Amino acid sequence: MNIGITCYPSLGGSGVVATELGKLLAERGHNVHFITSGIPFRLGKYHPNIFYHEVEVNQYDVFKYPPYDLTLANRMAQVAKNEHLDILHVHYAVPHALCAYLAKQMVGDQLKIVTTLHGTDITVLGYDSTLSDLIRFGIEQSDLVTAVSGDLIQETKQLLQVERPIELVYNFVDKRRYYRKEVSELKKVFAPNGEKLIMHISNFRPVKRVPDVIEVFRRVHRELPAKLLLIGEGPDMSIARKMLCEYGLDGATHFLGKQEDVAEVISLADVMLLPSEKESFGLVALEAMACGVPVVATNVGGLPEVIVDGETGYLCECGDVQALADKTLALLKDEALYQRFSRTSVERSCNTFCHEKITTQYEELYVRLLAGTHAAPLAKPI
Ligand code: GMT
């Protein structure tokens, strides 16, 4: 198949999933065309079946804002025509589903549009009345829609009154690259006296509740020698720094910024903390599980579909920092319990979220769509 993929190419779970899927599809012999505003950051080394089509957004005096959406739609149509795309798979509804719709109007109905909903495109933007009708339209007009968790499907249907079917396709982790790496020498740098390492990885947006990470770490640090590793960057980083300074914990914290080889970094961790307010899936949780790192998280969104409470990690009420700290300490103080959670995490990530299984799921959906055996969307007036 000739498959176009559009995603946000910089940091973010949706871009990671889109890029990894493209690489796996290329490995299976499909021609994969990335149509993005920059090279997807996880694209890695050259592959003969992978092509990159840059979306160049020009600025003209006449425009107050650079016309990314229109330029993207134009590029999608060009690539669809020149490369004979069968499928255009867009990740994140806004604006990608709408741009794909426009491109399809330009090139014809033979181009099939697949939209994958990732989370904040619904759980944040879907609440914005300046966008919600357009998001619903993009979903209704796609030939196939998938979402990364059952919870996200429910929320999409309820919030936007979407009636068409939405397929559940979980995110995945490539177990050839995500496993616990040998990092004992590196671990000595961060934990020279055998301290436990608590890790948080995110884009440090308010929805991730970074202050809760600090509160939990403060409580854990009181009980046992521990260090905090913060990976990523974003708007709440300065709040984190301020709180750590106030609590006298800045010396116990390492800021590692954005990281390329996430599996190696995660392998340093004893526990991954994810106290999010919203999380449609929680790719970081899955990546941690694949590396044998139990996750202590909130029971929101799709996280309960990824983490099995009491088996691969713990789930607590959002904002209950004491419970999050207690569960973290319970894991860190009981080696037998910890090892059991670690093993079960790896098993679950390899079985339920195996990259081969999920790639096949997408591939089968494409085939059904092209064969015309997939249910057509229900047209609904705005
Ligand atoms: O978490 C973010 O803020 C980034 C966002 C994105 O668009 O990349 O992540 C969303 O998609 C990921 C991949 O499907 C999911 O693992 C994240 O849970 C989801 N984020 C939220 O729902 C907040």
Side-chain angles (χ1 to χ4, degrees):
M1 280 180 266
N2 293 326
I3 302 163
I5 293 184
T6 290
C7 63
Y8 287 112
S10 51
L11 281 187
S14 58
V16 171
V17 170
T19 310
E20 297 290 351
L21 175 63
K23 291 189 326 196
L24 290 162
L25 290 165
E27 273 181 31
R28 290 185 178 198
H30 302 293
N31 291 319
V32 176
H33 297 266
F34 282 96
I35 310 167
T36 48
S37 59
I39 295 188
F41 81 105
R42 289 261 184 108
L43 198 51
K45 60 180 193 304
Y46 169 79
H47 190 288
N49 296 349
I50 295 183
F51 307 88
Y52 168 59
H53 307 267
E54 188 176 358
V55 180
E56 261 183 277
V57 188
N58 294 326
Q59 177 64 295
Y60 297 100
D61 291 344
V62 71
F63 294 136
K64 189 170 173 195
Y65 306 105
Y68 168 71
D69 312 7
L70 298 177
T71 309
L72 174 60
N74 190 62
R75 195 79 177 110
M76 283 171 161
Q78 283 172 344
V79 176
K81 210 166 149 208
N82 296 342
E83 307 295 341
H84 307 286
L85 292 188
D86 302 298
I87 299 280
L88 177 54
H89 188 165
V90 300
H91 294 259
Y92 210 86
V94 192
H96 300 153
L98 286 315
C99 300
Y101 168 77
L102 204 50
K104 183 174 170 137
Q105 299 305 304
M106 293 163 76
V107 300
D109 196 43
Q110 73 283 0
L111 177 66
K112 299 298 175 200
I113 308 296
V114 178
T115 296
T116 292
L117 308 175
H118 279 275
T120 47
D121 42 357
I122 302 299
T123 61
V124 174
L125 303 180
Y127 286 90
D128 181 343
S129 60
T130 66
L131 290 171
S132 53
D133 285 342
L134 200 65
I135 298 174
R136 185 190 311 115
F137 183 76
I139 291 172
E140 300 285 5
Q141 295 302 321
S142 299
D143 296 294
L144 173 73
V145 179
T146 75
V148 298
S149 64
D151 185 79
L152 184 57
I153 294 178
Q154 287 312 316
E155 187 159 354
T156 305
K157 292 196 164 197
Q158 276 164 18
L159 178 66
L160 298 174
Q161 283 109 48
V162 169
E163 283 165 21
R164 63 163 301 151
I166 300 178
E167 302 282 342
L168 171 61
V169 185
Y170 282 133
N171 288 335
F172 56 90
V173 71
D174 189 336
K175 62 184 176 196
R176 296 168 302 179
R177 286 187 294 110
Y178 280 85
Y179 54 87
R180 195 181 271 275
K181 303 274 167 82
E182 167 35 42
V183 287
S184 48
E185 283 308 307
L186 192 55
K187 201 156 179 168
K188 283 184 202 152
V189 174
F190 297 107
N193 303 307
E195 295 93 336
K196 297 292 184 189
L197 291 179
I198 314 295
M199 184 173 286
H200 173 74
I201 304 183
S202 77
N203 50 26
F204 289 74
R205 294 208 190 114
V207 86
K208 303 292 176 181
R209 293 183 71 97
V210 179
D212 286 6
V213 173
I214 314 299
E215 290 295 350
V216 173
F217 178 63
R218 187 187 187 196
R219 286 161 172 77
V220 171
H221 187 262
R222 271 191 213 131
E223 296 277 323
L224 50 75
K227 294 277 179 87
L228 177 64
L229 298 186
L230 295 175
I231 323 294
E233 41 187 64
D236 282 355
M237 186 56 98
S238 51
I239 300 176
R241 283 185 193 277
K242 192 164 167 266
M243 286 177 73
L244 286 162
C245 214
E246 269 171 28
Y247 294 159
L249 290 171
D250 38 348
T253 307
H254 293 273
F255 298 88
L256 272 60
K258 290 182 185 177
Q259 289 291 324
E260 273 288 314
D261 190 348
V262 189
E264 185 175 48
V265 175
I266 292 176
S267 298
L268 290 165
D270 291 299
V271 167
M272 181 68 72
L273 268 184
L274 200 56
S276 306
E277 183 183 318
K278 291 179 183 211
E279 204 67 71
S280 66
F281 183 88
L283 190 61
V284 162
L286 177 58
E287 290 173 338
M289 284 163 60
C291 297
V293 178
V295 185
V296 177
T298 40
N299 57 2
V300 303
L303 285 173
E305 293 169 64
V306 180
I307 301 159
V308 183
D309 188 32
E311 285 182 34
T312 70
Y314 286 114
L315 295 169
C316 306
E317 290 301 312
C318 180
D320 190 346
V321 289
Q322 190 56 52
L324 288 158
D326 289 344
K327 295 298 186 188
T328 305
L329 284 163
L331 271 169
L332 294 177
K333 285 179 175 175
D334 183 339
E335 185 59 21
L337 180 84
Y338 184 90
Q339 290 304 334
R340 183 157 52 80
F341 273 48
S342 174
R343 273 195 309 275
T344 314
S345 294
V346 175
E347 280 162 23
R348 181 165 170 75
S349 70
C350 287
N351 298 333
T352 311
F353 305 104
C354 163
H355 65 280
E356 280 155 2
K357 183 173 142 182
I358 304 292
T359 308
T360 301
Q361 214 181 328
Y362 275 120
E363 222 177 7
E364 286 175 357
L365 285 171
Y366 296 162
V367 169
R368 265 166 55 196
L369 186 58
L370 293 176
T373 51
H374 194 273
L378 301 169
K380 190 175 171 220
I382 296 171

